[in-house]
Amino acid sequence: MKTKSSTTRRQFLATTSAVAAGMLLTNESAAMLLNNSSKPKKVALVGTGIRGMNFWGKISIQNYADEIQFVALSDINPGRLQFAKNFLKLDVPTFVNFDKMLDEVEIDLLFVTTVDATHDEFIIKALNKGINVLTEKPMTTDEVKCQNIITAARNSSAKLIMGFNYRYGKLFTKLKKMLMKKEVGEITSIDFHWYLNTYHGASYFRRWHGEKDKSGTLLLHKAAHHFDLLNWWIGSDPVEVHAYGALDYYGKNNSFRGKRCMDCPHTKECKFYWDITKDEMSTNLYVKNEQYDGYIRDNCLWREEIDIYDKMAVQIKYANGVQVSYSLTTYSPYEGFRVAFNGKKGRIETWEGVPSLNSIQEDQAKLHEKEMDHSSHTKSDLKYHEIVKQINFEPYEKIQLPYVRRGHWGGDTLMLDEILKNKIVDPALKHASNQRDGSMAVLVGIAACKSIEEGKMIKIADLTDLKPQVNKWG
Ligand SMILES: NC(=O)c1ccc[n+]([C@@H]2O[C@H](COP(=O)([O-])OP(=O)(O)OC[C@H]3O[C@@H](n4cnc5c(N)ncnc54)[C@H](O)[C@@H]3O)[C@@H](O)[C@H]2O)c1
């Protein structure tokens, strides 16, 4: 039997969590996300793989020594952990046991750069201890883990920050500005199509990303970037998702397969043969440390265990009525994308990497390397990004933007500057992203996977207790 007091308590909890949820709707600026203090923040990193070590580790040490100081590193692979410690020239303790690190080391901020499906464990444990977290995308890979993170963030005094670097990219920011100014009127629909080439796209199928229980599929691992861009551009929350997806090219779809590239009998006939021993970093990080966890970095992309999709088509309806047609292709001859915003007064469109639209043909094998690179000497032969704006009944106008590809369209540096140095590009752009943004991006991917599996439309509101809002910024 319900007592009056228990009902009242439940009502109180419902009210306070609604208030808490409402508070999370405000997209806090980076200045609010990390409390400023004159002392360098004590930072620990879990996941000393390529992104953790080469980006969060190396770049932070090089460029943010006044703001942060590494105090510990953690990874389940002791060999990779030691390699990262040496590579970063850090004199800090290392931990194979993450809990031990949290118990023994005083930490202000944790960088989470482990395999996607494990992010939730580290995010939640740190938040429960009042430690701020900066996590790589995707925030997590299923709706149960997502709800657990939402609850932990609500109950914690600490902040969860998403590393959504694409938002800060110069081209994507220019599009956001044009949309905020309503240059083609109210946006009603968006066409967004992303193409991964047979080098970069294929690499996902060699790695842990090819298994759903680790990456949640590329609808989470890769498309979380794209869904976050859409959510941010549109300034409203997704409400309904319908998707198709299949594995048509990689995995089981080949007549031959080997155990791994290194000892494969099909190197002559396989167009995807990759000699990992010619890549010093991959050899040091992965091959030399296989003995500890059995992870094969040059795995066969025709292996039968691959259970993610390599072609994906997603329809998304937003709370403000905007409709999105999104697709992700992973075996394209070129790497790039096309995006178009259809407004009531006209259309804005742009693209990248479509060779027939560019005056030059780029080396497809090197494109992803350029995107990840941070050195200032990396130059592109392309001079401009082109955005085409056309108002209804008028001729088109071409807008040229200096071409930047390295460091994720220039976004990596701007993101780090904002989060770690509190150097905000423009507060009105609301680049900084929090737990709610991380959730909304992954919920689109999770809904898309469910839609593919169950053959029906999925409502975002049915996945967690986050309620989609018409206008988050209002
Ligand atoms: N934002 C971006 O542009 C970008 C680019 C690349 C990678 N990433 C993200 O960075 C993360 C790491 O990717 P990566 O390419 O470096 O992968 P990786 O395989 O090189 O590294 C992952 C590391 O996590 C460790 N790990 C796995 N499970 C663990 C556990 N339970 N406890 C502790 N450590 C564990 C592995 O041993 C490995 O060292 C992923 O979440 C990925 O999505 C983001």
Side-chain angles (χ1 to χ4, degrees):
M1 202 180 93
K2 268 195 274 179
T3 63
K4 197 176 171 202
S5 63
S6 68
T7 308
T8 308
R9 182 174 150 70
R10 254 199 300 279
Q11 280 167 345
F12 168 75
L13 284 175
T15 315
T16 47
S17 57
V19 170
M23 281 164 66
L24 288 167
L25 298 184
T26 330
N27 191 289
E28 296 154 292
S29 73
M32 303 265 293
L33 287 172
L34 276 185
N35 296 327
N36 268 325
S37 94
S38 52
K39 281 198 292 181
K41 278 166 193 62
K42 296 188 178 73
V43 172
L45 182 145
V46 60
T48 56
I50 189 69
R51 182 74 176 162
M53 190 189 73
N54 222 17
F55 178 71
W56 294 104
K58 189 171 112 187
I59 308 289
S60 307
I61 291 167
Q62 274 174 1
N63 301 344
Y64 302 92
D66 291 341
E67 286 77 24
I68 66 163
Q69 179 198 357
F70 273 92
V71 290
L73 297 173
S74 176
D75 197 290
I76 37 165
N77 186 310
R80 200 145 42 238
L81 192 51
Q82 189 57 39
F83 177 75
K85 181 179 168 169
N86 296 342
F87 178 86
L88 296 172
K89 299 188 177 66
L90 283 174
D91 183 18
V92 296
T94 55
F95 296 86
V96 175
N97 182 329
F98 177 78
D99 296 342
K100 196 164 183 284
M101 177 172 86
L102 284 201
D103 283 344
E104 292 182 5
V105 184
E106 197 190 313
I107 301 165
D108 301 320
L109 174 64
L110 175 74
F111 290 159
V112 177
T113 54
T114 54
V115 166
D116 302 345
T118 66
H119 290 175
D120 62 310
E121 178 190 343
F122 310 113
I123 294 172
I124 291 170
K125 283 179 174 169
L127 288 176
N128 287 348
K129 286 210 161 217
I131 298 168
N132 295 312
V133 180
L134 207 172
T135 184
E136 262 301 349
K137 58 81 214 171
M139 190 177 85
T140 189
T141 50
D142 71 38
E143 69 276 25
V144 176
K145 292 175 177 177
C146 187
Q147 181 64 65
N148 292 341
I149 294 174
I150 293 168
T151 307
R154 265 183 208 148
N155 294 331
S156 176
S157 56
K159 299 285 164 47
L160 173 55
I161 306 166
M162 284 302 308
F164 277 139
N165 45 355
Y166 277 36
R167 284 183 178 207
Y168 295 80
K170 306 253 172 159
L171 175 60
F172 303 134
T173 295
K174 172 71 181 168
L175 293 169
K176 172 77 177 170
K177 285 183 181 165
M178 293 175 78
L179 298 173
M180 282 167 74
K181 283 196 211 149
K182 293 204 167 29
E183 291 193 20
V184 290
E186 187 188 325
I187 299 299
T188 58
S189 69
I190 300 176
D191 321 325
F192 194 13
H193 304 287
W194 201 279
Y195 317 110
L196 296 168
N197 69 17
T198 43
Y199 298 93
H200 182 208
S203 84
Y204 289 114
F205 295 81
R206 296 183 203 287
R207 299 182 275 161
W208 51 260
H209 311 61
E211 286 140 53
K212 189 177 180 196
D213 66 346
K214 300 196 174 61
S215 67
T217 81
L218 294 177
L219 286 165
L220 275 301
H221 176 82
K222 186 72 198 166
H225 272 311
H226 311 148
F227 296 145
D228 176 65
L229 278 179
L230 285 164
N231 297 348
W232 176 64
W233 279 329
I234 295 168
S236 181
D237 284 333
V239 286
E240 290 175 5
V241 176
H242 191 277
Y244 292 106
L247 180 66
D248 274 359
Y249 189 81
Y250 300 107
K252 59 185 182 335
N253 294 289
N254 201 36
S255 57
F256 61 80
R257 55 192 46 79
K259 268 206 198 128
R260 62 185 300 177
C261 282
M262 207 189 275
D263 57 13
C264 185
H266 305 286
T267 54
K268 295 255 172 342
E269 59 196 301
C270 186
K271 283 210 174 282
F272 293 91
Y273 168 62
W274 175 53
D275 185 354
I276 192 170
T277 61
K278 295 215 168 94
D279 179 336
E280 199 186 340
M281 176 62 92
S282 295
T283 304
N284 285 330
L285 260 184
Y286 308 107
V287 180
K288 290 187 180 166
N289 298 309
E290 284 170 9
Q291 52 185 307
Y292 301 108
D293 59 6
Y295 175 53
I296 306 292
R297 176 63 179 76
D298 64 335
N299 223 329
C300 181
L301 46 71
W302 308 122
R303 68 193 186 282
E304 310 262 1
E305 305 88 88
I306 291 174
D307 60 355
I308 62 166
Y309 318 111
D310 57 17
K311 66 168 188 187
M312 291 141 275
V314 186
Q315 302 286 315
I316 314 162
K317 188 175 144 194
Y318 278 77
N320 66 357
V322 170
Q323 296 177 3
V324 171
S325 293
Y326 168 85
S327 72
L328 180 58
T329 305
T330 59
Y331 40 88
S332 164
Y334 62 83
E335 179 99 357
F337 62 83
R338 289 175 186 260
V339 62
F341 302 86
N342 303 297
K344 287 191 174 168
K345 290 186 185 158
R347 178 174 158 103
I348 296 168
E349 60 193 305
T350 191
W351 62 86
E352 179 164 296
V354 184
S356 57
L357 295 174
N358 291 336
S359 46
I360 55 161
Q361 298 238 24
E362 295 199 86
D363 178 353
Q364 290 295 324
K366 296 268 183 297
L367 270 183
H368 182 60
E369 230 175 86
K370 282 189 188 171
E371 181 184 319
M372 299 296 279
D373 191 45
H374 292 93
S375 48
S376 50
H377 57 76
T378 313
K379 298 270 181 285
S380 174
D381 297 331
L382 288 167
K383 296 278 172 284
Y384 299 104
H385 295 281
E386 279 194 336
I387 299 174
V388 178
K389 179 172 116 180
Q390 186 162 13
I391 300 296
N392 295 344
F393 310 109
E394 289 183 18
Y396 68 78
E397 179 192 338
K398 274 192 176 175
I399 298 155
Q400 290 187 326
L401 203 68
Y403 190 86
V404 186
R405 180 65 178 259
R406 70 189 164 83
H408 295 97
W409 299 269
D412 281 340
T413 307
L414 294 174
M415 175 183 74
L416 286 176
D417 276 357
E418 181 157 334
I419 295 171
L420 300 177
K421 279 197 168 142
N422 190 28
K423 215 167 128 187
I424 299 166
V425 181
D426 174 357
L429 290 168
K430 299 188 194 302
H431 275 132
S433 49
N434 59 17
Q435 168 273 129
R436 192 173 195 284
D437 302 311
S439 299
M440 281 299 168
V442 294
L443 288 173
V444 179
I446 292 164
C449 289
K450 280 190 170 297
S451 175
I452 294 167
E453 283 155 21
E454 296 172 21
K456 61 179 192 190
M457 183 271 286
I458 303 293
K459 286 186 186 290
I460 296 291
D462 291 344
L463 298 176
T464 65
D465 66 6
L466 281 185
K467 294 293 161 245
Q469 304 290 308
V470 175
N471 185 350
K472 290 190 291 194
W473 317 125

